[in-house]
Coordinates of all heavy atoms in Angstrom, one line a residue:
N1 N -3.1 19.9 6.9 CA -1.7 20.0 7.3 C -0.8 19.6 6.2 O 0.4 19.6 6.3 CB -1.5 19.3 8.6 CG -1.6 17.8 8.5 OD1 -1.7 17.2 7.4 ND2 -1.5 17.2 9.6
G2 N -1.4 19.1 5.1 CA -0.5 18.7 4.0 C -0.1 17.3 3.9 O 0.4 16.8 3.0
T3 N -0.4 16.5 5.0 CA 0.0 15.1 5.1 C -1.3 14.3 5.0 O -1.2 13.1 5.4 CB 0.8 14.8 6.3 OG1 0.1 15.2 7.5 CG2 2.1 15.5 6.3
F4 N -2.4 14.8 4.6 CA -3.6 14.1 4.5 C -3.6 12.8 3.8 O -4.3 11.8 4.0 CB -4.7 15.0 4.0 CG -6.1 14.4 4.1 CD1 -6.7 14.4 5.3 CD2 -6.8 13.9 3.0 CE1 -8.0 13.9 5.5 CE2 -8.1 13.4 3.1 CZ -8.7 13.4 4.4
D5 N -2.7 12.7 2.8 CA -2.5 11.5 2.0 C -1.9 10.3 2.8 O -2.1 9.2 2.5 CB -1.7 11.7 0.7 CG -0.4 12.4 1.0 OD1 -0.2 13.1 2.0 OD2 0.5 12.3 0.2
I6 N -1.2 10.7 3.9 CA -0.6 9.6 4.7 C -1.5 9.3 5.9 O -1.7 8.1 6.3 CB 0.8 10.1 5.2 CG1 1.7 10.4 4.0 CG2 1.4 9.1 6.2 CD1 3.0 11.0 4.4
A7 N -2.0 10.3 6.6 CA -2.7 10.1 7.9 C -3.9 11.0 8.0 O -3.8 12.2 7.6 CB -1.8 10.3 9.1
L8 N -5.0 10.5 8.5 CA -6.2 11.3 8.7 C -6.0 12.1 10.1 O -5.5 11.5 11.0 CB -7.4 10.5 8.8 CG -7.8 9.8 7.5 CD1 -9.0 8.8 7.8 CD2 -8.2 10.7 6.5
T9 N -6.5 13.3 10.1 CA -6.6 14.0 11.4 C -8.0 13.7 12.0 O -9.0 13.5 11.3 CB -6.4 15.5 11.2 OG1 -7.4 16.0 10.3 CG2 -5.0 15.8 10.7
G10 N -8.1 13.8 13.3 CA -9.4 13.5 14.0 C -10.3 14.7 14.0 O -10.5 15.3 15.0
T11 N -10.8 15.0 12.8 CA -11.6 16.3 12.7 C -13.1 16.0 12.8 O -13.9 16.9 12.7 CB -11.3 17.0 11.5 OG1 -11.4 16.2 10.3 CG2 -9.9 17.6 11.5
G12 N -13.5 14.7 12.8 CA -14.9 14.4 12.8 C -15.4 13.7 11.5 O -14.6 13.0 10.9
L13 N -16.6 13.9 11.2 CA -17.2 13.3 10.0 C -16.7 14.0 8.7 O -16.7 15.2 8.6 CB -18.7 13.4 10.0 CG -19.4 12.5 11.1 CD1 -20.9 12.7 11.1 CD2 -19.1 11.0 10.9
L14 N -16.3 13.1 7.7 CA -15.8 13.6 6.5 C -16.6 12.9 5.3 O -16.6 11.6 5.3 CB -14.3 13.2 6.4 CG -13.5 13.5 5.1 CD1 -13.4 15.0 5.0 CD2 -12.2 12.8 5.1
P15 N -17.2 13.6 4.4 CA -17.8 13.0 3.3 C -16.8 12.5 2.3 O -15.9 13.2 2.0 CB -18.7 14.1 2.7 CG -17.9 15.4 3.1 CD -17.3 15.1 4.4
V16 N -17.0 11.2 1.9 CA -16.1 10.6 0.9 C -16.9 10.0 -0.2 O -18.1 9.7 0.0 CB -15.2 9.5 1.6 CG1 -14.2 10.2 2.6 CG2 -16.0 8.5 2.3
E17 N -16.2 9.7 -1.3 CA -16.9 9.1 -2.4 C -16.0 8.0 -3.0 O -14.8 8.3 -3.2 CB -17.2 10.1 -3.5 CG -17.9 9.6 -4.7 CD -18.3 10.6 -5.7 OE1 -18.8 11.7 -5.3 OE2 -18.0 10.4 -6.9
D18 N -16.5 6.8 -3.3 CA -15.7 5.8 -3.9 C -15.5 6.2 -5.3 O -16.4 6.4 -6.1 CB -16.5 4.5 -3.8 CG -15.7 3.3 -4.3 OD1 -15.3 3.3 -5.5 OD2 -15.6 2.3 -3.6
A19 N -14.2 6.2 -5.7 CA -13.8 6.7 -7.1 C -14.3 5.7 -8.2 O -14.5 6.1 -9.3 CB -12.3 6.8 -7.2
E20 N -14.5 4.4 -7.8 CA -14.9 3.5 -8.8 C -16.4 3.4 -9.0 O -16.9 3.3 -10.0 CB -14.3 2.1 -8.5 CG -12.8 2.1 -8.6 CD -12.2 0.7 -8.2 OE1 -13.0 -0.3 -8.0 OE2 -11.0 0.6 -8.2
T21 N -17.1 3.4 -7.8 CA -18.6 3.2 -7.9 C -19.4 4.5 -7.8 O -20.5 4.5 -8.1 CB -19.0 2.3 -6.7 OG1 -18.8 3.0 -5.5 CG2 -18.3 1.0 -6.7
G22 N -18.7 5.6 -7.3 CA -19.4 6.8 -7.1 C -20.3 6.8 -5.8 O -20.9 7.8 -5.5
K23 N -20.2 5.8 -5.0 CA -21.0 5.7 -3.8 C -20.5 6.6 -2.8 O -19.3 6.7 -2.5 CB -21.0 4.2 -3.3 CG -21.9 4.1 -2.1 CD -21.9 2.6 -1.6 CE -22.7 2.5 -0.3 NZ -22.7 1.1 0.2
A24 N -21.4 7.4 -2.2 CA -21.0 8.4 -1.1 C -21.2 7.8 0.3 O -22.0 6.9 0.5 CB -21.8 9.6 -1.2
A25 N -20.3 8.2 1.2 CA -20.4 7.7 2.6 C -19.8 8.8 3.5 O -19.2 9.7 3.0 CB -19.7 6.4 2.7
W26 N -19.9 8.5 4.8 CA -19.3 9.4 5.8 C -18.3 8.6 6.5 O -18.5 7.5 6.9 CB -20.4 9.9 6.8 CG -21.3 10.9 6.2 CD1 -22.5 10.6 5.6 CD2 -21.1 12.3 6.0 NE1 -23.1 11.7 5.1 CE2 -22.3 12.8 5.4 CE3 -20.1 13.2 6.4 CZ2 -22.4 14.2 5.1 CZ3 -20.3 14.5 6.1 CH2 -21.4 15.0 5.5
L27 N -17.1 9.2 6.7 CA -16.0 8.6 7.4 C -15.8 9.4 8.7 O -15.6 10.6 8.7 CB -14.7 8.8 6.5 CG -13.5 8.0 7.0 CD1 -13.7 6.5 6.9 CD2 -12.3 8.4 6.1
D28 N -15.8 8.6 9.8 CA -15.7 9.2 11.1 C -14.2 9.3 11.5 O -13.6 8.4 12.1 CB -16.4 8.4 12.2 CG -16.4 9.1 13.6 OD1 -15.8 10.2 13.7 OD2 -16.9 8.5 14.5
T29 N -13.5 10.4 11.2 CA -12.1 10.6 11.4 C -11.8 10.8 12.9 O -10.6 10.8 13.3 CB -11.5 11.8 10.6 OG1 -12.2 13.0 11.0 CG2 -11.7 11.5 9.1
S30 N -12.8 11.0 13.7 CA -12.5 11.1 15.2 C -12.3 9.7 15.8 O -11.8 9.6 16.9 CB -13.7 11.8 15.9 OG -14.9 11.0 15.8
S31 N -12.5 8.6 15.1 CA -12.3 7.3 15.5 C -10.9 6.9 15.3 O -10.3 6.9 14.2 CB -13.2 6.3 14.8 OG -12.8 5.0 15.0
E32 N -10.2 6.5 16.4 CA -8.8 6.1 16.3 C -8.7 4.8 15.4 O -7.7 4.7 14.7 CB -8.2 5.8 17.7 CG -6.8 5.5 17.7 CD -6.2 5.3 19.1 OE1 -6.9 5.7 20.1 OE2 -5.1 4.9 19.2
R33 N -9.7 3.9 15.5 CA -9.7 2.7 14.7 C -9.7 3.1 13.2 O -9.0 2.5 12.4 CB -10.9 1.8 15.1 CG -10.9 0.5 14.3 CD -12.1 -0.3 14.7 NE -13.4 0.3 14.3 CZ -13.9 0.3 13.1 NH1 -13.2 -0.3 12.1 NH2 -15.0 0.8 12.8
V34 N -10.5 4.0 12.8 CA -10.6 4.5 11.4 C -9.3 5.1 11.0 O -8.8 4.8 9.9 CB -11.8 5.5 11.3 CG1 -11.7 6.1 9.9 CG2 -13.1 4.8 11.5
R35 N -8.7 5.9 11.8 CA -7.4 6.5 11.4 C -6.3 5.5 11.3 O -5.5 5.6 10.4 CB -7.1 7.6 12.5 CG -8.0 8.8 12.4 CD -7.4 10.0 13.2 NE -7.0 9.7 14.6 CZ -7.8 9.7 15.6 NH1 -9.1 10.0 15.5 NH2 -7.3 9.4 16.8
D36 N -6.3 4.5 12.2 CA -5.3 3.5 12.1 C -5.4 2.6 10.9 O -4.5 2.3 10.2 CB -5.3 2.6 13.4 CG -4.8 3.3 14.6 OD1 -4.1 4.4 14.5 OD2 -5.0 2.8 15.7
Q37 N -6.7 2.3 10.6 CA -7.0 1.5 9.4 C -6.6 2.2 8.1 O -6.0 1.7 7.2 CB -8.5 1.1 9.4 CG -8.9 0.2 8.3 CD -10.3 -0.2 8.4 OE1 -11.2 0.7 8.7 NE2 -10.6 -1.4 8.0
Y38 N -6.9 3.5 8.1 CA -6.5 4.3 6.9 C -5.0 4.4 6.8 O -4.5 4.2 5.7 CB -7.0 5.8 7.1 CG -6.7 6.7 5.9 CD1 -7.6 6.8 4.9 CD2 -5.5 7.4 5.9 CE1 -7.4 7.6 3.8 CE2 -5.3 8.2 4.8 CZ -6.2 8.3 3.8 OH -5.9 9.2 2.7
A39 N -4.2 4.6 7.8 CA -2.8 4.6 7.8 C -2.2 3.2 7.3 O -1.3 3.2 6.5 CB -2.2 5.0 9.1
R40 N -2.8 2.1 7.9 CA -2.3 0.8 7.4 C -2.6 0.6 6.0 O -1.7 0.0 5.2 CB -3.0 -0.3 8.3 CG -2.3 -0.6 9.6 CD -2.8 -1.9 10.2 NE -4.3 -2.0 10.3 CZ -5.1 -1.5 11.2 NH1 -4.5 -0.8 12.2 NH2 -6.4 -1.6 11.2
R41 N -3.8 0.9 5.5 CA -4.1 0.7 4.1 C -3.2 1.6 3.2 O -2.7 1.1 2.1 CB -5.5 1.1 3.8 CG -6.5 0.0 4.3 CD -7.9 0.3 3.9 NE -8.8 -0.7 4.3 CZ -10.1 -0.6 4.2 NH1 -10.7 0.4 3.7 NH2 -10.8 -1.6 4.6
F42 N -2.9 2.8 3.6 CA -2.0 3.7 2.9 C -0.6 3.0 2.8 O 0.0 2.9 1.7 CB -1.9 5.0 3.5 CG -0.9 5.9 2.7 CD1 -1.3 6.7 1.6 CD2 0.4 6.0 3.1 CE1 -0.5 7.5 0.9 CE2 1.3 6.8 2.4 CZ 0.9 7.5 1.3
E43 N -0.1 2.5 3.9 CA 1.3 1.9 3.9 C 1.3 0.6 3.1 O 2.2 0.4 2.3 CB 1.7 1.6 5.3 CG 2.1 2.8 6.1 CD 3.3 3.5 5.4 OE1 4.3 2.8 4.9 OE2 3.3 4.7 5.4
D44 N 0.2 -0.2 3.2 CA 0.1 -1.4 2.4 C 0.1 -1.1 0.9 O 0.8 -1.8 0.1 CB -1.1 -2.2 2.8 CG -1.0 -2.8 4.2 OD1 0.1 -2.9 4.8 OD2 -2.1 -3.3 4.7
S45 N -0.7 -0.1 0.5 CA -0.8 0.2 -0.9 C 0.5 0.8 -1.4 O 1.0 0.4 -2.5 CB -1.9 1.3 -1.1 OG -3.1 0.7 -0.9
S46 N 1.2 1.6 -0.6 CA 2.5 2.2 -1.0 C 3.5 1.1 -1.2 O 4.2 1.1 -2.2 CB 2.9 3.2 0.0 OG 2.1 4.3 0.1
R47 N 3.6 0.2 -0.3 CA 4.5 -0.9 -0.3 C 4.3 -1.8 -1.6 O 5.2 -2.2 -2.3 CB 4.5 -1.7 1.0 CG 5.6 -2.6 1.2 CD 5.7 -3.2 2.6 NE 4.5 -3.3 3.3 CZ 4.1 -2.4 4.3 NH1 4.9 -1.5 4.7 NH2 3.0 -2.6 5.0
Y48 N 3.0 -2.1 -1.8 CA 2.6 -2.9 -2.9 C 3.0 -2.3 -4.3 O 3.7 -2.9 -5.1 CB 1.1 -3.2 -2.9 CG 0.7 -3.9 -4.2 CD1 0.9 -5.2 -4.5 CD2 0.0 -3.1 -5.2 CE1 0.5 -5.8 -5.6 CE2 -0.4 -3.7 -6.4 CZ -0.2 -5.0 -6.6 OH -0.6 -5.6 -7.8
F49 N 2.6 -1.0 -4.5 CA 2.9 -0.4 -5.7 C 4.4 -0.1 -5.9 O 4.9 -0.3 -7.0 CB 2.1 0.9 -5.9 CG 0.7 0.6 -6.2 CD1 -0.3 0.9 -5.2 CD2 0.3 0.1 -7.4 CE1 -1.6 0.6 -5.5 CE2 -1.0 -0.2 -7.7 CZ -2.0 0.1 -6.7
K50 N 5.1 0.2 -4.9 CA 6.6 0.4 -5.0 C 7.2 -0.9 -5.4 O 8.1 -1.0 -6.2 CB 7.1 0.9 -3.7 CG 8.6 1.4 -3.8 CD 9.0 2.1 -2.6 CE 8.5 3.5 -2.7 NZ 9.1 4.5 -1.7
G51 N 6.8 -2.0 -4.8 CA 7.3 -3.4 -5.2 C 7.0 -3.7 -6.6 O 7.9 -4.3 -7.3
V52 N 5.8 -3.4 -7.1 CA 5.5 -3.7 -8.5 C 6.4 -2.9 -9.4 O 6.9 -3.4 -10.4 CB 4.0 -3.4 -8.8 CG1 3.7 -3.4 -10.2 CG2 3.1 -4.4 -8.0
F53 N 6.6 -1.6 -9.1 CA 7.4 -0.8 -9.9 C 8.9 -1.3 -9.9 O 9.5 -1.3 -11.0 CB 7.4 0.7 -9.5 CG 6.2 1.4 -10.0 CD1 4.9 1.3 -9.5 CD2 6.3 2.2 -11.1 CE1 3.8 1.9 -10.0 CE2 5.2 2.9 -11.7 CZ 4.0 2.8 -11.1
V54 N 9.4 -1.6 -8.8 CA 10.8 -2.1 -8.7 C 11.0 -3.4 -9.5 O 11.9 -3.5 -10.2 CB 11.2 -2.3 -7.2 CG1 12.5 -3.1 -7.1 CG2 11.3 -1.0 -6.5
K55 N 10.0 -4.3 -9.4 CA 10.1 -5.6 -10.1 C 10.1 -5.3 -11.6 O 10.7 -6.1 -12.3 CB 8.9 -6.5 -9.7 CG 9.1 -7.2 -8.4 CD 7.9 -8.1 -8.0 CE 8.1 -8.6 -6.6 NZ 6.9 -9.4 -6.3
S56 N 9.4 -4.3 -12.0 CA 9.3 -4.0 -13.5 C 10.5 -3.1 -14.0 O 10.6 -2.8 -15.1 CB 8.0 -3.3 -13.8 OG 7.9 -2.0 -13.3
G57 N 11.3 -2.7 -13.0 CA 12.5 -1.9 -13.4 C 12.2 -0.4 -13.5 O 13.0 0.3 -14.0
A58 N 11.1 0.0 -13.0 CA 10.7 1.4 -13.1 C 11.1 2.1 -11.7 O 11.1 1.5 -10.7 CB 9.2 1.5 -13.3
D59 N 11.4 3.4 -11.8 CA 11.7 4.2 -10.7 C 10.4 4.7 -10.1 O 9.4 4.8 -10.8 CB 12.6 5.3 -11.0 CG 14.0 4.8 -11.4 OD1 14.5 3.9 -10.8 OD2 14.6 5.4 -12.3
T60 N 10.5 5.1 -8.8 CA 9.4 5.8 -8.2 C 9.8 7.1 -7.5 O 11.0 7.2 -7.2 CB 8.7 4.9 -7.1 OG1 9.7 4.7 -6.1 CG2 8.2 3.6 -7.6
I61 N 8.9 8.0 -7.4 CA 9.2 9.2 -6.7 C 8.1 9.4 -5.7 O 6.9 9.4 -6.0 CB 9.2 10.4 -7.7 CG1 10.1 10.2 -8.8 CG2 9.5 11.7 -6.9 CD1 10.0 11.3 -9.9
D62 N 8.4 9.7 -4.4 CA 7.5 10.0 -3.4 C 7.3 11.5 -3.3 O 8.2 12.2 -3.0 CB 7.9 9.5 -2.0 CG 7.8 8.0 -1.9 OD1 6.9 7.4 -2.5 OD2 8.7 7.4 -1.2
I63 N 6.1 12.0 -3.7 CA 5.8 13.4 -3.6 C 4.5 13.6 -2.7 O 3.5 13.0 -3.0 CB 5.5 14.0 -5.0 CG1 6.8 13.8 -5.9 CG2 5.2 15.5 -4.9 CD1 6.6 14.2 -7.3
R64 N 4.7 14.3 -1.6 CA 3.5 14.5 -0.7 C 2.8 15.8 -1.1 O 3.4 16.7 -1.8 CB 4.0 14.6 0.7 CG 4.8 13.4 1.2 CD 3.8 12.2 1.3 NE 4.5 11.0 1.6 CZ 4.3 9.9 1.1 NH1 3.4 9.7 0.2 NH2 5.0 8.8 1.4
T65 N 1.6 15.9 -0.7 CA 0.8 17.0 -1.1 C 1.3 18.3 -0.6 O 1.0 19.4 -1.1 CB -0.7 16.8 -0.6 OG1 -0.7 16.6 0.8 CG2 -1.4 15.7 -1.3
H66 N 2.1 18.3 0.5 CA 2.6 19.6 1.1 C 4.0 19.9 0.6 O 4.6 20.9 1.0 CB 2.6 19.5 2.6 CG 3.5 18.5 3.2 ND1 3.3 17.1 3.1 CD2 4.8 18.6 3.7 CE1 4.3 16.5 3.6 NE2 5.2 17.3 4.0
E67 N 4.5 19.1 -0.3 CA 5.8 19.3 -0.9 C 5.8 19.9 -2.3 O 4.8 19.7 -3.0 CB 6.6 18.0 -0.9 CG 6.9 17.4 0.4 CD 7.6 16.0 0.3 OE1 7.6 15.4 -0.8 OE2 8.1 15.6 1.3
S68 N 6.9 20.5 -2.7 CA 7.0 21.0 -4.0 C 7.4 19.8 -5.0 O 8.4 19.2 -4.7 CB 8.1 22.1 -4.1 OG 8.4 22.3 -5.5
Y69 N 6.6 19.6 -6.0 CA 6.9 18.5 -6.9 C 8.1 18.9 -7.7 O 8.8 18.0 -8.2 CB 5.7 18.1 -7.8 CG 5.3 19.2 -8.8 CD1 5.9 19.3 -10.0 CD2 4.4 20.2 -8.4 CE1 5.5 20.3 -10.9 CE2 4.0 21.2 -9.3 CZ 4.6 21.2 -10.6 OH 4.2 22.2 -11.5
V70 N 8.4 20.2 -7.9 CA 9.5 20.6 -8.7 C 10.8 20.2 -8.0 O 11.7 19.6 -8.6 CB 9.5 22.2 -8.8 CG1 10.8 22.6 -9.5 CG2 8.3 22.6 -9.6
H71 N 10.9 20.4 -6.7 CA 12.1 20.0 -5.9 C 12.3 18.4 -6.0 O 13.4 17.9 -6.1 CB 12.1 20.5 -4.5 CG 12.2 22.0 -4.4 ND1 13.2 22.7 -4.9 CD2 11.3 22.9 -3.9 CE1 13.0 24.0 -4.7 NE2 11.8 24.1 -4.1
A72 N 11.2 17.7 -5.8 CA 11.2 16.3 -5.8 C 11.7 15.8 -7.1 O 12.5 14.8 -7.2 CB 9.8 15.7 -5.4
L73 N 11.2 16.3 -8.2 CA 11.6 15.9 -9.5 C 13.1 16.2 -9.8 O 13.8 15.4 -10.4 CB 10.7 16.5 -10.6 CG 9.3 15.9 -10.7 CD1 8.4 16.7 -11.7 CD2 9.3 14.5 -11.1
L74 N 13.5 17.4 -9.4 CA 14.9 17.8 -9.6 C 15.8 16.9 -8.9 O 16.8 16.4 -9.4 CB 15.1 19.3 -9.2 CG 14.6 20.4 -10.1 CD1 14.7 21.7 -9.4 CD2 15.3 20.3 -11.4
N75 N 15.5 16.6 -7.6 CA 16.3 15.7 -6.8 C 16.4 14.3 -7.5 O 17.4 13.7 -7.6 CB 15.8 15.6 -5.4 CG 16.1 16.8 -4.6 OD1 17.0 17.6 -4.9 ND2 15.3 17.0 -3.6
F76 N 15.2 13.8 -8.0 CA 15.1 12.5 -8.6 C 16.1 12.5 -9.8 O 16.9 11.5 -10.0 CB 13.7 12.2 -9.0 CG 13.5 11.0 -9.9 CD1 13.6 9.7 -9.3 CD2 13.4 11.1 -11.2 CE1 13.4 8.6 -10.1 CE2 13.2 10.0 -12.0 CZ 13.3 8.8 -11.5
F77 N 16.0 13.4 -10.7 CA 16.8 13.4 -11.9 C 18.2 13.7 -11.6 O 19.1 13.1 -12.3 CB 16.2 14.4 -12.9 CG 14.9 13.9 -13.6 CD1 13.8 14.6 -13.4 CD2 14.9 12.8 -14.3 CE1 12.5 14.2 -13.9 CE2 13.7 12.3 -14.8 CZ 12.5 13.0 -14.7
Q78 N 18.6 14.5 -10.6 CA 20.0 14.6 -10.3 C 20.6 13.4 -9.7 O 21.7 13.0 -10.1 CB 20.1 15.8 -9.2 CG 19.9 17.1 -9.8 CD 19.8 18.2 -8.8 OE1 19.7 18.0 -7.6 NE2 19.8 19.5 -9.2
K79 N 19.8 12.6 -8.9 CA 20.3 11.4 -8.4 C 20.4 10.3 -9.5 O 21.4 9.6 -9.6 CB 19.4 10.8 -7.3 CG 19.5 11.5 -6.0 CD 18.5 10.9 -5.0 CE 18.5 11.7 -3.7 NZ 17.5 11.2 -2.8
R80 N 19.5 10.4 -10.4 CA 19.5 9.4 -11.5 C 20.7 9.7 -12.5 O 21.3 8.8 -13.0 CB 18.2 9.5 -12.3 CG 17.9 8.4 -13.2 CD 16.5 8.6 -13.7 NE 16.0 7.3 -14.1 CZ 15.1 7.1 -15.1 NH1 14.6 8.2 -15.7 NH2 14.7 6.0 -15.4
A81 N 21.0 11.0 -12.7 CA 22.1 11.3 -13.5 C 23.4 10.9 -12.9 O 24.4 10.6 -13.6 CB 22.1 12.8 -13.8
G82 N 23.5 10.9 -11.6 CA 24.7 10.5 -10.9 C 25.0 9.0 -10.8 O 26.0 8.6 -10.4
Q83 N 24.0 8.2 -11.2 CA 24.2 6.8 -11.1 C 25.1 6.2 -12.1 O 25.2 6.6 -13.2 CB 22.8 6.1 -11.3 CG 21.9 6.3 -10.1 CD 20.5 5.6 -10.3 OE1 20.2 5.1 -11.3 NE2 19.8 5.5 -9.2

């Protein structure tokens, strides 16, 4: 549905791989607990990284997988030019 980066859908077992270790596992997306935990971790990570960027004086742009990055970048630079 394009919002997979924010929330998991309850579609059943999903093969996943740890990007750092390469270890493979199965994620049970039909579990409400697993979906809630995924959403919480996503929000926590987003909040943390946004805070780090703000503290360092850097701007951030939220671009979702179902959105056009072109429009997001154009809006960002137009807002920035208006400041």
Side-chain angles (χ1 to χ4, degrees):
N1 69 8
T3 58
F4 189 72
D5 52 338
I6 300 172
L8 294 175
T9 58
T11 55
L13 292 175
L14 177 70
V16 294
E17 182 178 313
D18 186 305
E20 294 179 7
T21 65
K23 183 178 177 182
W26 289 94
L27 189 64
D28 184 4
T29 63
S30 64
S31 166
E32 186 175 348
R33 183 182 64 79
V34 168
R35 291 191 311 272
D36 288 346
Q37 186 178 37
Y38 182 91
R40 274 195 310 277
R41 284 185 179 173
F42 178 86
E43 285 300 319
D44 290 346
S45 294
S46 295
R47 197 171 19 260
Y48 169 77
F49 286 109
K50 194 170 275 193
V52 168
F53 277 81
V54 167
K55 284 180 185 177
S56 68
D59 292 321
T60 62
I61 305 172
D62 289 325
I63 302 174
R64 301 293 174 223
T65 57
H66 67 286
E67 296 175 344
S68 167
Y69 67 90
V70 174
H71 295 298
L73 289 172
L74 285 173
N75 288 336
F76 170 78
F77 287 117
Q78 286 172 348
K79 285 180 185 176
R80 197 173 204 209
Q83 289 181 348

